[in-house]
Amino acid sequence: MWTCKNLWKKLAPLARSSSTLCRQNARGVVLNNERRLPLVPQAHMSSGTPGSGGDNNLYYLLVGATCVGGGFYAYRTIKGDKERYQERINEIASRPNKVVPEQPITEAPGEQAAETPQEPSVEPSPIEDTEELPAPVVESEPTPVAESLPAETAEPQTTTESAAEPATVAPAEVPAPTPVEFPSHAPYLLIGGGTASFAAARSIRARDPGARVLIITDEPDLPYMRPPLSKELWFSDDPSVVDTLRFKQWNGKERSIYFQPPSFYVSPQDLEKVENGGVAVLTGKKVVHMDVRGNKVTLSDNTEISYDKCLIATGGVPRNLQVIERAGEEVTKRTTLFRKVEDFKALDKVSRDTKSITIIGGGFLGSELACALGRRSADSDLEVIQMFPEKGNMGKVLPEYLSNWTTAKVKSEGVTVITEALVKAVSYKDGKVEIKLKDGRVVKTDHVVAAVGLEPSVELAKSAGLEVDSDFGGFRVNAELQARSNIWVAGDAACFYDIRLGRRRVEHHDHAVVSGRLAGENMTGANKPYWHQSMFWSDLGPDVGYEAIGIVDSSLPTVGVFAKATAKDTPKAATEKSGTGIRSESETEGTASSPVASSTPEPPPVPEQKDNYGKGVIFYLRDKVVVGIILWNVFNRMPVARKIIKDGEEHADLNEVAKLFNIHED
């Protein structure tokens, strides 16, 4: 083939020049004699003198040989490729058959010892034989056993036991087919396994009974309620409460922190198969990327799941102090960021094994944990310390006089309260965590609980192209809680626009319930705006509690109206009457349409009441309009408070407004 090609390169120019010369001569004769000469076809392709035909035959021969050679070369090439392709297919198809029967170890001198491990109950003695295992046997072993035994692979010198061990596990080298753990597509995909996701799932199923809902959570637990983690669970007398996570509410009724038992859910692998749909929970998985154009998400293990409609309810993560983050590993190991079930279990163990715990933070969570641990310290030698930069507990929420009263209440539970404490440095010395304050005070403790707020989880914002609010944090959503087409946000991570109070972000149980429920309805086509004024509550044990709504900020002007409390004005009595300990489930029982005003004379002004804050109502004002209300040991009156904020009117005398809550009735 190569010779023909070279020969053609040499002869082709001669052929072309000869043909050109013939055409020029013929053209000249025609012009001179004014007549056309008879055509001689051979002369057009001749490389010799006109009229001769031998060279033409050679030309045709060369062209024909070239075509035949090219065809033969193409045939051999295609045939060779086909054979190599078939060999590759056969090799791939035979791979599983090579792994199972392959037992090169039996060729070693210790053949009898290598055969016996086929029975799992028989193992050779480690000192029976010390013959060498040939190096080619180890090098030719392609199975995962060689990787799991680096010592045997690295050293040719080995014992019979080393030779027998791979044969023992050889039957397990062919893994069984891994079952599909989750569907590749979910019509309704809910990211996050908290209260908002569960409320959305129930709402979706209520409007679309055949809906298939998949909840993805990075926690190992099924959806559960968080409030009992810092409240009722700590007051349980059951020593197994850490395992059962069942507790008695203030009314004495027992319940679990889980919204539903495992039997309520369908398994993820069966979600696409069940006839009437259902709710499946994929635990221990984290969504790390969202493709909003392709309507799919990517998990931390690179698995992709597509969706039709998606809810982001990722909640938040506890904030930490920078001084603790920089303090080193020893301090980090002795610090709890309280948020999840595992945090409750860990702190419960710490409270039983250590001598002192210091809680940094004076807000809702910090004060609740301080009271809970303080009451537990009465039966043990545990020292409980609470420190915060404000002048009193919940100083950012309550007016100063009520904050001071709350601080006294916390102290009465056996807690050492350190106010106006700014942490400067944290270190670990002599087996203790040492906390240095900016005013020079030093606190030594065994364990630290950082309860300094929540940071909304917005890691998906970048990949999903979602907007994060620069002032409040969280995903910015419209009135229908929608962030983008087919994507909604609910719970702690949602920054929504309140038509009365402006843009807000709320981190409370009731908001998670209501926003999750509304998002679920809108995912099924309801298109409802979010107008609900969510409430929140906090209990300092079974005797003192409050419910709040709207903007409750101690920097705003406040007006408080109080009355003497009775035995029924406690969280315990309220739950006994309503039958539930989660007051967001019962706060709608009251009605705002028919308030009953009390005929009792107006109470004296707040300053004259001194420390008698048994029960009452605190109004928070902005431009003389009520924007927030706290009901102090007043329960099941939240609809009245919600209506007052919704009306947005100025009130000349808030004492008259307080009568709507019936606080002066016995």
Side-chain angles (χ1 to χ4, degrees), residues 115-419:
E115 294 176 353
T116 55
Q118 293 180 359
E119 299 180 7
S121 60
V122 179
E123 290 186 7
S125 171
I127 58 175
E128 283 181 359
D129 198 351
T130 57
E131 296 188 23
E132 292 185 357
L133 186 66
V137 175
V138 177
E139 293 175 356
S140 63
E141 180 65 68
T143 64
V145 177
E147 297 179 0
S148 63
L149 300 174
E152 289 78 3
T153 306
E155 299 180 8
Q157 186 81 16
T158 184
T159 63
T160 305
E161 181 185 21
S162 300
E165 285 178 355
T168 303
V169 298
E173 289 175 4
V174 182
T178 303
V180 179
E181 298 181 355
F182 42 84
S184 60
H185 177 79
Y188 297 96
L189 180 66
L190 314 183
I191 304 175
T195 301
S197 276
F198 182 78
R202 295 189 65 171
S203 180
I204 292 171
R205 291 279 297 169
R207 290 177 54 87
D208 184 1
R212 305 176 193 274
V213 183
L214 177 63
I215 299 176
I216 301 178
T217 173
D218 58 354
E219 295 189 49
D221 301 288
L222 296 174
Y224 61 91
M225 60 187 78
R226 299 189 191 276
L229 296 180
S230 60
K231 297 180 177 69
E232 293 93 340
L233 282 175
W234 291 98
F235 295 89
S236 175
D237 297 328
D238 185 2
S240 63
V241 65
V242 177
D243 300 319
T244 63
L245 296 176
R246 296 188 64 84
F247 61 95
K248 287 186 178 181
Q249 302 172 118
W250 303 141
N251 60 2
K253 294 183 179 180
E254 186 177 272
R255 69 177 298 175
S256 170
I257 70 169
Y258 295 102
F259 291 110
Q260 292 290 346
S263 58
F264 171 83
Y265 305 95
V266 300
S267 61
Q269 57 264 36
D270 295 335
L271 183 61
E272 295 179 323
K273 307 174 185 176
V274 290
E275 181 178 357
N276 297 321
V279 180
V281 182
L282 190 60
T283 59
K285 300 292 183 180
K286 183 177 179 64
V287 176
V288 297
H289 186 272
M290 288 190 69
D291 180 1
V292 296
R293 293 186 177 180
N295 280 8
K296 61 183 179 180
V297 300
T298 304
L299 307 185
S300 53
D301 59 0
N302 293 325
T303 303
E304 291 185 348
I305 300 178
S306 60
Y307 62 85
D308 295 332
K309 297 180 180 180
C310 178
L311 172 70
I312 300 176
T314 48
V317 295
R319 291 193 183 101
N320 197 0
L321 295 176
Q322 292 185 358
V323 291
I324 295 180
E325 294 176 344
R326 298 193 300 260
E329 183 180 357
E330 292 297 330
V331 173
T332 302
K333 289 192 302 184
R334 292 165 175 81
T335 301
T336 296
L337 303 179
F338 198 88
R339 175 70 173 172
K340 304 177 181 179
V341 168
E342 58 192 35
D343 301 326
F344 164 73
K345 294 181 177 181
L347 187 57
D348 177 81
K349 185 177 185 303
V350 167
S351 67
R352 300 180 189 277
D353 298 341
T354 61
K355 296 296 184 181
S356 64
I357 297 178
T358 297
I359 301 170
I360 302 177
F364 306 109
L365 178 61
S367 299
E368 289 172 358
L369 289 176
C371 287
L373 292 172
R375 181 162 295 194
R376 173 172 291 187
S377 67
D379 301 327
S380 64
D381 296 331
L382 178 66
E383 179 187 17
V384 181
I385 303 171
Q386 184 186 17
M387 60 173 62
F388 42 80
E390 295 81 27
K391 294 182 179 180
N393 287 76
M394 291 177 285
K396 294 182 178 180
V397 176
L398 301 178
E400 184 176 352
Y401 62 87
L402 201 54
S403 174
N404 294 337
W405 186 92
T406 304
T407 302
K409 168 64 178 176
V410 175
K411 289 181 179 179
S412 68
E413 296 290 348
V415 180
T416 301
V417 180
I418 303 176
T419 62

Side-chain angles (χ1 to χ4, degrees), residues 356-358 383 385-387 418 421 425-427 432-437 440-446 448:
S356 64
I357 297 178
T358 297
E383 179 187 17
I385 303 171
Q386 184 186 17
M387 60 173 62
I418 303 176
V426 181
S427 60
K432 293 281 187 178
V433 177
E434 190 174 279
I435 304 173
K436 293 183 179 180
L437 305 182
R441 289 178 290 180
V442 177
V443 176
K444 294 183 179 181
T445 186
D446 294 324
V448 175

